[in-house]
DNA sequence: GGGCAAATAT
DNA sequence: CATATTTGCC
C-alpha cells in the first residue's frame, strides 16, 4: 500500500514569469498579452462562424456552436485564474494542503441571455465522477470536517474548473448515503465496496468521516428489556432508502483517469 | 443556501 | 442498468 502520488496534473503553462502576475481583480486585462494582436476591427466577429455557411455545407461541416461574449469571458477568466494559481500559490486553504487541480473543465455554462438566442451551449454535459475527482472530493471533505463539509465550501476548496455547487451537492448527497450504508455493514471487517458504488469504493472513506463525534452513533443500542415479544417495530419514517444491492460478478475498477462526459446518441424511447 | 427524497434524464 | 441532474419541500 503505497500508491498515493497519482496526480496527473497536466500543466502546459511553462515559461511563465511573475512579470504578469500583477493581477488584482478577476476581470483585469493584461495588456502585454494584447500587444501585437489584431484589433477588434480585424477580427471575425464572435457572432460570425469561422467557416462560411456555404463552405461548411459543402464539406458537411456541422455548424459550430456560436461563441458568445459571455462564453469567451468565462474561458478567459478560467485561463487567468489558472495562470494565477500556477505562478502564485501563496494561497493557504485549510492548512495549505491542496495542490492545484485542473482536470475537469466542463464546457462553458449557459449564459442565460445569449445562449438561448444562439441555440449554443445550453446544457452542460453530464459530469463523470472519476476516481481522481472523487479522491479530491473526499480529501476536501475530510479536511473540512463533517460540520464544514457543505457543497459550496467543498466546491471552492476542490478548486476544479467548471465544477458547480450542484455537482458537489448531488455527489455529496449520494456519498453520505454511501458512508452511512457502509458503516453499518462493516467496522473491522474488510467488507468493501458494493459494486454499485464503484466510484465511492475507489477511495476509502476517511475515519474522520466514519467516526463522528456527536452522540447518535451505533446502529442499534436498544437497551430495552420489555418482556413482551414485540415484533420489531419496523420502518421508521425516515429510513426508506433500501437500495437494492445486487450481487455482481466483479468489481471493475478501471483507471479512467481523465475527464469524461457522457455523450448521448439519439433515442426517444425509454 | 443546505439537506433530503423522488423524479427525471443520459 | 447505473449514475448524474433536476425538482420540490422543509
Amino acid at each position: 500500500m503505497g500508491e498515493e502520488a497519482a496526480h496527473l496534473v497536466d500543466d502546459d503553462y511553462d515559461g511563465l514569469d511573475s512579470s504578469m502576475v500583477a493581477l488584482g481583480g478577476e476581470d483585469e486585462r493584461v495588456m502585454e498579452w494584447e500587444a501585437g494582436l489584431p484589433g477588434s476591427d480585424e477580427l471575425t466577429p464572435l457572432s460570425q462562424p469561422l467557416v462560411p455557411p456555404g463552405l461548411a455545407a459543402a464539406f458537411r461541416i456541422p455548424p459550430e456552436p456560436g461563441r458568445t461574449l459571455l462564453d469567451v469571458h468565462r474561458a478567459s477568466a478560467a485561463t487567468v485564474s489558472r495562470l494565477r494559481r500556477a505562478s502564485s500559490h501563496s494561497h493557504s486553504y485549510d492548512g495549505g494542503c491542496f495542490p492545484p487541480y485542473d482536470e475537469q473543465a466542463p464546457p462553458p455554462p449557459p449564459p442565460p441571455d445569449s445562449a438561448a438566442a444562439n441555440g449554443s451551449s445550453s446544457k452542460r454535459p453530464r459530469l463523470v465522477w472519476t476516481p481522481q475527482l472523487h479522491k479530491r472530493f473526499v480529501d476536501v471533505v475530510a479536511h473540512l470536517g463533517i460540520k464544514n463539509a457543505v457543497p459550496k465550501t467543498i466546491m471552492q476548496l476542490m478548486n476544479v474548473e467548471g465544477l458547480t455547487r450542484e455537482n458537489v451537492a448531488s455527489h455529496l448527497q449520494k456519498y453520505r448515503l454511501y458512508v452511512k450504508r457502509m458503516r453499518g455493514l462493516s467496522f473491522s471487517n474488510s467488507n468493501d465496496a458494493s459494486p454499485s458504488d464503484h466510484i465511492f469504493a475507489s477511495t476509502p472513506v476517511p475515519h474522520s468521516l466514519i467516526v463522528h463525534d456527536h452522540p447518535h452513533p451505533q446502529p442499534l443500542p436498544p437497551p430495552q428489556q420489555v418482556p413482551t415479544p414485540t415484533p420489531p417495530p419496523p420502518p421508521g419514517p425516515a429510513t426508506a432508502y433500501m437500495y437494492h444491492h445486487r450481487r455482481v460478478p466483479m468489481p471493475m475498477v478501471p483507471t479512467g483517469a481523465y475527464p469524461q462526459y457522457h455523450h448521448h446518441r439519439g433515442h426517444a424511447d425509454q
Side-chain angles (χ1 to χ4, degrees):
Chain A
M1 10 257 341
E3 36 115 30
E4 279 287 284
H7 282 103
L8 306 170
V9 186
D10 182 57
D11 302 333
D12 37 22
Y13 44 78
D14 45 282
L16 288 178
D17 264 16
S18 49
S19 52
M20 78 288 271
V21 197
L23 301 171
E26 291 290 326
D27 54 334
E28 292 189 22
R29 298 171 66 173
V30 182
M31 291 313 186
E32 284 86 343
W33 293 354
E34 300 191 20
L37 295 177
S40 8
D41 54 315
E42 304 176 67
L43 294 172
T44 303
L46 285 168
S47 53
Q48 264 181 44
L50 289 175
V51 181
L55 199 57
F59 285 88
R60 296 291 194 276
I61 300 176
E64 44 182 315
R67 263 70 151 189
T68 68
L69 255 189
L70 281 171
D71 286 331
V72 173
H73 282 159
R74 276 198 71 90
S76 114
T79 300
V80 169
S81 68
R82 200 188 318 131
L83 288 171
R84 295 183 64 186
R85 283 198 306 272
S87 32
S88 66
H89 41 71
S90 312
H91 290 277
S92 57
Y93 305 97
D94 184 50
C97 26
F98 295 113
Y101 195 88
D102 291 306
E103 286 309 318
Q104 310 280 131
D113 49 300
S114 43
N118 209 334
S120 68
S121 53
S122 12
K123 287 186 179 78
R124 152 190 321 252
R126 194 184 156 103
L127 174 68
V128 174
W129 284 88
T130 66
Q132 305 288 339
L133 192 57
H134 177 65
K135 172 71 160 58
R136 192 170 182 84
F137 168 84
V138 172
D139 283 344
V140 169
V141 170
H143 281 90
L144 274 177
I146 273 297
K147 54 186 304 179
N148 295 330
V150 295
K152 188 156 189 183
T153 313
I154 296 173
M155 179 200 70
Q156 290 170 162
L157 262 73
M158 280 182 75
N159 201 13
V160 173
E161 260 287 347
L163 191 66
T164 69
R165 191 180 61 81
E166 284 78 17
N167 288 138
V168 175
S170 177
H171 193 67
L172 180 62
Q173 186 178 8
K174 284 177 55 188
Y175 184 64
R176 281 172 172 160
L177 288 176
Y178 171 77
V179 172
K180 184 183 285 184
R181 198 171 174 65
M182 199 58 168
R183 76 161 140 255
L185 287 175
S186 62
F187 234 87
S188 54
N189 197 354
S190 302
N191 228 337
D192 279 337
S194 184
S196 323
D197 322 286
H198 43 53
I199 291 297
F200 297 124
S202 65
T203 299
V205 178
H207 312 98
S208 18
L209 298 181
I210 302 181
V211 57
H212 37 91
D213 28 19
H214 49 105
H216 200 79
Q218 315 314 324
L220 39 107
Q224 59 177 27
Q225 37 181 309
V226 266
T228 311
T230 306
T239 331
Y241 56 90
M242 302 232 315
Y243 254 63
H244 58 289
H245 54 288
R246 305 190 83 159
R247 27 76 170 173
V248 213
M250 262 283 105
M252 174 193 86
V253 187
T255 49
Y258 281 100
Q260 303 168 25
Y261 298 93
H262 277 324
H263 45 280
H264 68 83
R265 222 31 183 152
H267 228 33
D269 185 329
Q270 187 146 341

